[in-house]
Amino acid sequence: MILHICTCKGLIDVPASPDFGSDVTVEVSECLCSKEGRAAVEASLGDDRRLVLAGCTPRILERFFGDIDSEMVNIREQGVFLGKGWDGIETMIRGGIERARAAEPVEKRERKISKKSVLVIGAGVSGLESARWLGEMGHDVVLVEEDPFVGGTVAKLDRLYPEGTPNSHTLYPLVNQVAGNDHIKVMTNTRVENVAGTVGDYRVTLRTSPRGVIECVQCGKCVPVCPESPVDHGVPRKAIFAQETYPDEYAIDFEACTRCGKCVEICPAKIDLDEPAREEEIAVGAIVVATGLRNFPIANLSAYGGGKIDRVMRAIDYERQIAAGIIAPEKVLVVHCAGSRDDNYLPYCSRVCCLIGMKEAKLTKDRFPNAEVYLSYIDMRCYGQFEYLYRTLRDQAGVVFLEGRPSEIFERGDRVVVRTEDIQSGEYLELEVDYVVLATGFEPDRETLAMLGLPSDLDFPYGYTGTTLSPDSNPQGIFLAGAAAFPRGVLESVESAREAAAGAHAVLSKDVVTFRTPVPRIEAEVCASLHCRLCVPTCPYGALSVVDEEMTVDETLCMGCGICSVTCPAGANTLEAWEDEAILAEVEAVADEGSIVAFLCKWSAYNAADRAGYDRLDMPSELRVIRVPCTGRVDATMVAGAFARGARGVLIGGCYPDSCHYRHGNTRAVSRVKLLQRFLSELGVDESRLRLEWFGSNEGQKLVSVVREMSGELASVGV
Amino acid sequence: MEYALFLGCTAPIRGKHYESTARKVCEILGVDVVDVPDFACCGFPLANASAEAAFLMAARNLAAAEEKGVGAMMTLCSSCAASQVHVNREIRSNRKVMDRTNEALAEFGKHYTGSIEVKHLARVLWEDVGVDAIKAKVKRDLSSLKIAAHPGCHYVKPGEVHDCFDDVEDPKTLDELVAATGATPVSYEDKKLCCGGAVLGFEEKTALAMAKQKLDLVKASGADAMVSICPFCSVMYEANQGKIEEAYDVEYGMPVLYYTQLLGLALGVPEKELWFRMNSVKPSEMLAKVVIE
Amino acid sequence: MITERELDKKFGLEVADRYGGEAIRRCFSCGTCAASCPVGRFDSRFNPRRTIRMVLLGMRDQVLKSDFVWLCAGCHTCSERCPQGVHIPDIMTALKNMATEAGYTHPTLAKQIDLLKDFGRVFEVEEYDNKRRVKMGLPELKLRCEEVKIILDKLGVNS
Amino acid sequence: MAKPKVALYWNASCGGCEEAWVDLAEDILKVVEAVDIVLWPVAMDFKRKDIEAMEDGEIAVAFLNGAVRTSEQENWSKLLRRKAGVVIAFGSCAHIGGIPGLANFYSKDEVFDAAYGYLPTVDNPDKVEPQTSTKMPEGELELPKIWDRVCALDQVIDVDVDYYLPGCAPPPDLIMDAVTAILSGELPPKGSVLAPDKSLCDTCDRNESKPEKLQITELKRPHLTFMDPEKCFLAEGVLCMGPATRSGCGERCINANMPCRGCFGPTRDVKDQGAKFLSALASIIDINDDEAMDRVLDSLPDPAGLVYMYSLPTSLLRGRVPEKKREKAKVS
């Protein structure tokens, strides 16, 4: 056994010659994450491949040593940063050593990149930009768009800031470049129905819904005869319509169309109201997701009259209505943070809505110089160049910035009344305006993300980054571009689209990728494969099946969560590197009388513990963290093991519901914990000593509170 | 449907007409009420001095209801509803709270296992009896009446405590109950405005200003009467109406009925038994619009 | 002006440890509560946002001895809308409790405590009431409830 | 050549394991013919001092059944360990703690309170409880001490077990196989359990009826349910420990239409049979609705007693966790 302890440049006090027993060779280094550190680790690897690296968080260490089999002990973030002295750190290292003794190494695996084409989902600016770059690099691109025309949100906007240019300046050159590239196939009216397979060979089912217009000479005669006028983002158009982007053909909005047939009669070319939908399957090596964001539905904001009062509207609807000359406001209030930074709605800041709100104010003043515009805000967040936009507005007559979040908005006659406190003067204020613009935040396109097996994260609309070739997750050729990952302005979206294109290009340029995702090993000798099969339905990915009377793991599907290992009652199924024995060995090494043993999911709660370290929070010293791939991996055996060592409490911490990185590992944990609590109470362990809690990866404070409660430092709630 | 009737402090003394009509409409609509003489204050006013003591007083009432062998409790007052529902919820959702509460109740030999459901009378009428069942029993035509319903705060808030049975930002159930009687609920601004009752003892001027605002808006809506479901709200709008008229030199003459009086009227209860003479603002003009027998 | 020396930095923590007070530190002073408050609309002395700031700053005496601390109507309009889940009415209750414990009990509250101890309710049931009730066909009310007094005495709640 | 000497001893057991020898029927003759039985208290009269007088290792094989919970059982176990070359833990109680191990849900005092106190069949108005020593006219008499915890054989300090013969009681074919192996000297590695290392489902006939996606939404208790003699118990919502239990028993319970209760103990890599089964069970009770989950769990009044029916002493917690810490190490 080789143990490397990193002092992180003297940050961690390591005694002169730390002793971990005669069979452990200890090397202390100043900085493992350096060329020298890597060389030292490589040089120390002899026949004995068992290696323990004690240093910073595995999130960082994995970037340097992900390809070498090792146990990582986080003595920095969760050691010194959480106030542990050498005693505490020594215990942590012992845990790592015991775990390393019991764990089997993760096998290196390979994946062939057999398909060299790429699918781009969504043809807004991000998708167009990604497709353009990939096409120019010579890759075959399939660009699919759900709407009948490309352009996405930007095509619906009036002007784009900070420059204040019309949307066409950004969009048209891009559309032309994409439409003119032979490598790019654009498919409008098309949805991705299903994605199967893995990097290098994704099999994608596409469904193209009817366009109605089969051949088009763009005469436009169909539009005046159409009797239906659906409202598209605040502005009415006909059910048969065109958009000045691409393709240069009309299309029918079948949700609004009543099939009266008037367009068919007048059309000199060909319209078919009964055109069937088509489905096809394509194979690609990588996927770029550029589906953008979803506007937070204002109907949820009942105190603001959202969805009930016509004059209270979304920013995009307002922008289009003034651009189209439908409304002529004299007095407007823009409500910033409408539903954002709010536990009842969106807990996070969507970053761009401050800018959007100011833009609506600017567009109003540009068109109606005499209009009065109020902007109410909690904090005005205008970064970089946008400070200029703020200054321009601030200096204009008739623009008033009001600090304070409105409490309620209601109708009084044909006016809208807003109640707010002007915090700067401390006065209670009632305003009567013509229109209220709600600058709402955004939500991720959960539907597409879920279809791709990508979890959404509560910390941000979407926190999934950089896992593409992470050493212990299945390599994915899936890249997020633009606002699909996080609310972004046009400029940032385009930049991120290029990053995604570069990522996809990197994968497609290889013939083989290697990775180290742990998969369950099945001991055929013990497994009653043909007859037990309990594990099969518990796999979130359908990776388990009985082949030739033997339980078999499809390594291309397995993501390494270990849910099946917990299910196997015979112990025949064990997840590599996260075996029951290995985790139990660590538990037994670190747990002692009065300790709080926390099994923390490496995607969320474990990082919350890191965060607590970075923030130097006052974490009770009794905490012993065991890193697990998912709360769904936590077995009753491990919990019993902790209590058998005298633990005061056991905490299982995972991702919030619907954010599980393994689809539903955390909900499995819910039923396990319930049953376990009853079981433990029979054994004299009070239910409250086993807790399951959800943590965002930033919620260090919440983790501290929960651990403090469990350690008896905080009285629990209730009179 | 059987409920222990929780009278609270105000209704049985200052709102006897509310209590009496509540019992009457319950009888007609098939809601059985059981009296528990052991009920005392719900603890609401005491929370100002000691939240813990208030909690135990509410818990004591729950234990008393349980002792009586009823499964549910119905309150006449909205504040009683809020404190009883809240405490019930805390006890039922947290084992430790239940244990600690019972430890304290044991002092005088009471124990609560968490079996009681608590609802305000109006919620019982809306949820358990239902608007349709009420409509089916209406005997008098009240279609000529315009009624401004005042739902008050604790009938629906905190929303979570009351299982969000009504929309806290746009409470509708009381309007629906008014509509069920055949009368027309009128909409008016600031329907959710608090009556100020809780401030009355501490700063009368402020409390009256709050009540005045509401009376102004109700008056402007053209309503024939206001309807309340809480004796505290009624005290503010009705008993103090004269005081407000005097202080602000205005005149309202706005009758404030308990919903049960209006409902009783619709259900054909003899006028005498509706105790309109106990209302300090006499609803004679309003009654003149209704054909009685 | 108030100098930092006059502030009691533990005040906020004490309130946070009270029932319903845990979330007080989450307040980011957006003013939703103040804009919602029906009392504040008619009495500018009472402003929940400002009260929370005063607590977090540590202005113990200025809060507990104040007249505004008694003005919260407990209507929950603010807490229903608070974006950070601060239980404002519970915090105001905690402050009133702390004021009571510190001996600044409001006279009205003192009167209510006496009534509760004597009768178990905040109104005395007079003989007239029961007579009247019987006349109206309503059951008689119990005149006292000793158990309420036991609770109050046990917890040391005194006027 | 002298016949190998064999000792058979019983600790805390019901006697069923002794009957298992008799159940060998005519095969017992082969055994008796091949070996020289030097100790078998249930059948013949032997004295402790005779065993004590033997050389260490003189006995070839000692079969010990029953759990250990008294000082006497502990002493005998240690003695036989010294005298025997091979020690075999015979039957569930010696192997994993067995039914007597359920006493670990309670303290010794609670067990005494029940056994000599409040149980309806006990008539003991003076509350007489066993004493470790009693003065009689003839002198002072000693009774064995009862320990606080029931142990499996290998949990007794200084008692290394060479092999385990599982089952309550071990089935004749496994006994015969073990005896044959010993006599022929073809023994598996030390520490082995002398039964197949697969879960019971492997040989269970009812598997045909098991659905591809087994999900439990309702739990039924055997005595309150009609159980189809053809169908997988789990698929019917009746808890069966089969998946968490080593095979080799010949499905005696299952053939009698009763679900498995785990007497053979777990397969080799499982440290805690009950906890492991519980994890599996929770995975197949896949209900997200809290209330529905509670309802299902309410129909399982004693989960720990069920999953640890045979293995409580060898579970990680070993029994009920006492209010204050008690001895953790092996019985000394």
Side-chain angles (χ1 to χ4, degrees), chain A residues 187-464:
Chain A
M187 297 175 72
T188 51
N189 265 8
T190 302
R191 281 178 62 90
V192 177
E193 291 282 304
N194 189 39
V195 176
T198 182
V199 59
D201 190 10
Y202 288 108
R203 287 172 302 281
V204 183
T205 314
L206 300 175
R207 183 186 163 86
T208 304
S209 47
R211 188 178 189 85
V213 180
I214 311 293
E215 283 162 30
C216 181
V217 293
Q218 295 174 55
C219 63
K221 284 179 186 153
C222 51
V223 175
V225 300
C226 178
E228 295 304 317
S229 300
V231 175
D232 179 1
H233 292 79
V235 175
R237 57 156 164 73
K238 288 300 176 71
I240 190 161
F241 69 110
Q243 184 176 294
E244 289 175 18
T245 54
Y246 178 86
D248 300 329
E249 289 162 1
Y250 281 72
I252 295 173
D253 170 358
F254 277 104
E255 270 178 34
C257 171
T258 53
R259 295 166 193 272
C260 66
K262 288 195 177 119
C263 55
V264 181
E265 282 166 28
I266 205 160
C267 180
K270 189 178 176 193
I271 293 176
D272 178 2
L273 297 176
D274 299 315
E275 185 193 357
R278 294 188 310 274
E279 249 185 42
E280 66 181 290
E281 194 183 280
I282 61 168
V284 293
I287 297 173
V288 172
V289 183
T291 49
L293 290 167
R294 300 291 171 260
N295 282 293
F296 180 73
I298 61 168
N300 292 357
L301 303 171
S302 66
Y304 287 174
K308 280 184 294 196
I309 308 174
D310 288 346
R311 286 164 175 263
V312 174
M313 52 179 87
R314 299 189 297 178
I316 190 166
D317 297 339
Y318 177 80
E319 178 170 342
R320 283 164 62 81
Q321 288 190 22
I322 48 170
I326 296 172
I327 57 172
E330 287 171 8
K331 199 171 171 191
V332 180
L333 172 84
V334 179
V335 181
H336 288 259
C337 288
S340 291
R341 304 175 70 198
D342 190 329
D343 283 357
N344 305 306
Y345 309 108
L346 299 179
Y348 47 82
C349 162
S350 289
R351 186 167 66 173
V352 294
C353 8
C354 274
L355 318 174
I356 293 172
M358 285 195 296
K359 169 175 133 176
E360 306 314 339
K362 178 84 170 75
L363 294 177
T364 309
K365 289 300 284 182
D366 286 357
R367 287 195 167 79
F368 307 99
N370 295 324
E372 285 177 69
V373 179
Y374 292 85
L375 297 98
S376 63
Y377 63 96
I378 304 173
D379 295 298
M380 190 50 77
R381 295 177 171 179
C382 32
Y383 55 98
Q385 298 159 299
F386 290 99
E387 187 70 12
Y388 178 71
L389 178 60
Y390 165 72
R391 288 183 183 197
T392 331
L393 270 175
R394 180 195 61 188
D395 295 344
Q396 244 177 320
V399 175
V400 182
F401 283 87
L402 283 174
E403 187 185 343
R405 184 179 170 279
S407 65
E408 61 181 322
I409 296 172
F410 56 93
E411 268 178 313
R412 183 181 287 155
D414 60 354
R415 305 275 270 181
V416 185
V417 183
V418 182
R419 286 190 175 143
T420 189
E421 183 197 12
D422 176 43
I423 288 178
Q424 293 177 353
S425 67
E427 289 297 329
Y428 175 83
L429 192 67
E430 200 175 276
L431 279 173
E432 258 190 25
V433 295
D434 301 333
Y435 294 99
V436 169
V437 179
L438 298 180
T440 51
F442 299 91
E443 293 181 282
D445 170 14
R446 291 185 208 277
E447 208 184 326
T448 304
L449 297 176
M451 184 179 61
L452 293 166
L454 308 180
S456 37
D457 190 312
L458 266 197
D459 288 343
F460 293 113
Y462 196 66
Y464 194 90

Side-chain angles (χ1 to χ4, degrees), chain A residues 3 19 43 90 122 124 146 174 187 279 334 364 393 397 404 421 425 465 483 503 518 538 563 657 699 701:
Chain A
L3 165 66
D19 183 13
E90 200 184 6
E146 199 175 354
L174 199 48
M187 297 175 72
E279 249 185 42
V334 179
T364 309
L393 270 175
E421 183 197 12
S425 67
T465 46
T538 63
I563 292 169
E699 290 184 326
Q701 183 61 55

Side-chain angles (χ1 to χ4, degrees), chain D residues 65-140:
Chain D
N65 72 66
V68 179
R69 86 162 315 171
T70 68
S71 53
E72 184 196 27
Q73 290 156 356
E74 185 196 340
N75 290 339
W76 266 103
S77 304
K78 284 179 175 170
L79 175 67
L80 286 168
R81 172 66 275 183
R82 272 203 312 279
K83 302 296 173 190
V86 171
V87 168
I88 294 182
F90 188 93
S92 301
C93 302
H95 175 206
I96 49 177
I99 296 285
L102 286 168
N104 283 359
F105 275 117
Y106 307 93
S107 68
K108 186 182 89 179
D109 292 343
E110 285 168 311
V111 171
F112 273 28
D113 275 353
Y116 302 102
Y118 61 77
L119 288 185
T121 51
V122 175
D123 181 18
N124 182 12
D126 299 334
K127 298 227 157 46
V128 180
E129 285 185 4
Q131 303 297 309
T132 48
S133 72
T134 312
K135 284 209 171 69
M136 302 289 278
E138 299 86 345
E140 194 165 321

